[in-house]
Amino acid sequence: MNSNQPEKYQKEVLKIDNCVKLNLYPKPPFHFDATVYKPSHFPSSDNYYEKGKFWFTTYFLNQPLGIKMAKYGSTDRPIVKTSVYSQQPLEDKDLEKIINEIKWRFDMDLDLNRFYDSVKNDLLLQPILKRWRGMRVKACQSLYEFLVITIVLQNAPVRRSVQMMENLFKAYGYRVQFDNKILSCFWDPESLAQVNEDEMRALKLGYRAKFLSRISKDFADKKVDEMAMRSLPKDLLRKKLLQLYGIGPASVWYIIFEIFHHYDALETISPWEQKIYSKLLFDKELVPKEEIMKEVAQRWSEWRMLAIHYIFEDIFWKRKTEKVEWLEELIRL
DNA sequence: CATCAGGGCCCTG
DNA sequence: CAGGGCCCTGAT
């Protein structure tokens, strides 16, 4: 593999032409668009969405992969036409791992009816659930890739996070072409572990360079086992994630929810989120964090974060088609 | 021109 | 457990 390392981004575009096509059958109901695309997330060149279609890349099994997913069938009889692109032909066992990984990352096996049953009398949620019935949490990135994202999010306005992310892709990522799309793809942790911090700082990452460096080293040294972490109970998982240098209380809950699918993962509310929740849940300017926490725990218990996810994405979808004045003021671009 | 907060975290006392 | 320092940017 190493002798055959693909060329990096700045040198040339890497064509990954080997393609395997197959159908995936998520547990219904499955809302394709609202699952694959999250309007609240900042845009990033490793994925591309258009109605009914989604392209993304990920560094998985020691290689850059390109995945295309297309909606087929309906919410109640969902079929996802999936194409897996790689540089070399995939062995059966690797293909199987990739398929299982895609199912996991888009949470295709979750039985949403358990959630819907438990909130069927909730008046606030009902119209939202109706609009987005079948939506799941998704992460098209691996744990390592998502850690990078949470780090560039820290203490920065959205615009700057985007800039940092794209600078990283340019310097260290791949540029891959598949299905007539050219997208960025994350690097492997080993390669970033060897980059010195000052070089990274030149990409305007500031003090975050140190975080990325330390975390990449941990992954290069196989100190983090994402697969094993998937079966850990939430408190143990939290403890392990907090041991990562640069990952603190604000980042950890995003990771536990989006990467590890704990649907009750809500322990920290940042000031800008507090304002949004206050408006959406209470129709007030500012409600104390403890009060918000208490209310959602009471109301949605083990589904509280998934419920909030529905409410949150709903307003960001709305923002795409009409102006939501109060929201614009809260999300600093 | 300077100052400052921003979608946090680490480290120190 | 509180508070200073940290990278960079654009707003004031």
Side-chain angles (χ1 to χ4, degrees):
Chain A
M1 243 326 163
N2 275 339
S3 60
N4 202 15
Q5 275 293 330
E7 294 293 317
K8 291 295 180 82
Y9 182 101
Q10 66 271 39
K11 292 166 191 162
E12 63 182 88
V13 172
L14 176 71
K15 288 189 179 165
I16 47 178
D17 295 308
N18 267 284
C19 179
V20 180
K21 292 178 193 291
L22 58 131
N23 289 342
L24 297 178
Y25 302 90
K27 194 182 279 284
F30 180 79
H31 193 303
F32 180 89
D33 293 274
T35 299
V36 302
Y37 179 66
K38 304 297 180 186
S40 77
H41 289 187
F42 74 76
S44 142
S45 63
D46 66 338
N47 66 78
Y48 182 80
Y49 162 79
E50 65 187 46
K51 195 170 166 26
K53 291 173 186 169
F54 187 62
W55 293 259
F56 72 99
T57 67
T58 187
Y59 193 88
F60 188 69
L61 299 176
N62 301 313
Q63 60 188 314
L65 294 176
I67 315 282
K68 179 193 180 183
M69 297 163 73
K71 175 185 153 78
Y72 197 70
S74 61
T75 299
D76 289 302
R77 295 195 181 171
I79 302 169
V80 178
K81 287 198 163 193
T82 305
S83 310
V84 179
Y85 292 85
S86 57
Q87 195 185 12
Q88 308 290 340
L90 294 166
E91 289 177 33
D92 286 350
K93 65 172 173 49
D94 284 346
L95 182 62
E96 193 185 330
K97 281 183 193 166
I98 293 166
I99 300 303
N100 286 333
E101 187 65 16
I102 295 171
K103 287 186 195 167
W104 166 264
R105 292 198 191 176
F106 294 87
D107 209 11
M108 291 186 182
D109 292 331
L110 171 66
D111 181 5
L112 275 168
N113 287 319
R114 288 172 45 233
F115 168 48
Y116 296 154
D117 280 347
S118 78
V119 298
K120 61 171 176 275
N121 296 321
D122 193 297
L123 291 177
L124 171 66
L125 273 183
Q126 274 322 302
I128 295 172
L129 295 180
K130 202 172 169 187
R131 277 196 283 281
W132 307 112
R133 195 173 65 92
M135 177 173 78
R136 287 127 210 278
V137 57
K138 79 111 189 207
C140 51
Q141 291 92 0
S142 65
L143 170 60
Y144 173 77
E145 292 166 348
F146 196 73
L147 284 166
V148 175
I149 291 177
T150 59
I151 287 169
V152 301
L153 276 172
Q154 291 169 12
N155 206 23
V158 174
R159 176 191 242 117
R160 201 177 153 221
S161 299
V162 172
Q163 184 200 44
M164 286 188 272
M165 197 62 245
E166 294 308 317
N167 285 348
L168 282 166
F169 277 137
K170 267 182 208 161
Y172 308 118
Y174 296 98
R175 194 80 173 148
V176 298
Q177 179 171 18
F178 65 101
D179 194 51
N180 295 318
K181 287 273 175 298
I182 297 178
L183 295 177
S184 304
C185 180
F186 276 85
W187 52 89
D188 60 311
E190 287 83 357
S191 68
L192 199 63
Q194 288 163 17
V195 174
N196 77 41
E197 271 175 49
D198 290 336
E199 188 187 316
M200 258 192 262
R201 275 174 178 267
L203 304 175
K204 306 184 190 298
L205 286 158
Y207 57 84
R208 298 170 196 79
K210 192 174 175 187
F211 299 171
L212 289 182
S213 188
R214 293 265 297 256
I215 284 182
S216 297
K217 283 189 182 109
D218 283 345
F219 275 78
D221 297 342
K222 311 283 182 216
K223 284 184 185 161
V224 187
D225 184 347
E226 178 179 4
M227 300 303 161
M229 289 167 88
R230 287 182 187 170
S231 49
L232 290 180
K234 193 175 61 168
D235 52 341
L236 216 58
L237 176 62
R238 177 177 156 278
K239 221 180 202 170
K240 270 212 170 307
L241 289 169
L242 287 174
Q243 285 168 4
L244 294 168
Y245 191 82
I247 298 303
S251 303
V252 83
W253 297 108
Y254 296 133
I255 300 168
I256 292 177
F257 177 61
E258 298 197 24
I259 297 291
F260 293 101
H261 308 180
H262 287 263
Y263 307 108
D264 59 349
L266 178 77
E267 300 288 326
T268 299
I269 300 177
S270 61
W272 69 285
E273 288 170 330
Q274 182 186 5
K275 289 174 196 158
I276 294 178
Y277 296 161
S278 298
K279 172 76 178 166
L280 291 175
L281 301 176
F282 301 86
D283 197 22
K284 286 185 184 164
E285 192 89 4
L286 198 63
V287 176
K289 290 176 188 177
E290 300 72 33
E291 209 172 305
I292 297 176
M293 214 77 91
K294 199 176 151 196
E295 170 70 15
V296 301
Q298 220 163 47
R299 214 157 160 171
W300 303 311
S301 62
E302 79 250 46
W303 299 101
R304 73 191 87 150
M305 192 58 221
L306 188 59
I308 285 188
H309 180 64
Y310 270 80
I311 296 168
F312 207 72
E313 293 305 319
D314 181 61
I315 193 71
F316 275 86
W317 274 105
K318 193 171 173 189
R319 176 172 175 260
K320 284 181 77 73
T321 50
E322 52 187 285
K323 281 262 178 289
V324 185
E325 286 299 341
W326 63 268
L327 186 60
E328 296 305 319
E329 291 167 19
L330 296 181
I331 45 180
R332 304 253 151 61
L333 302 175

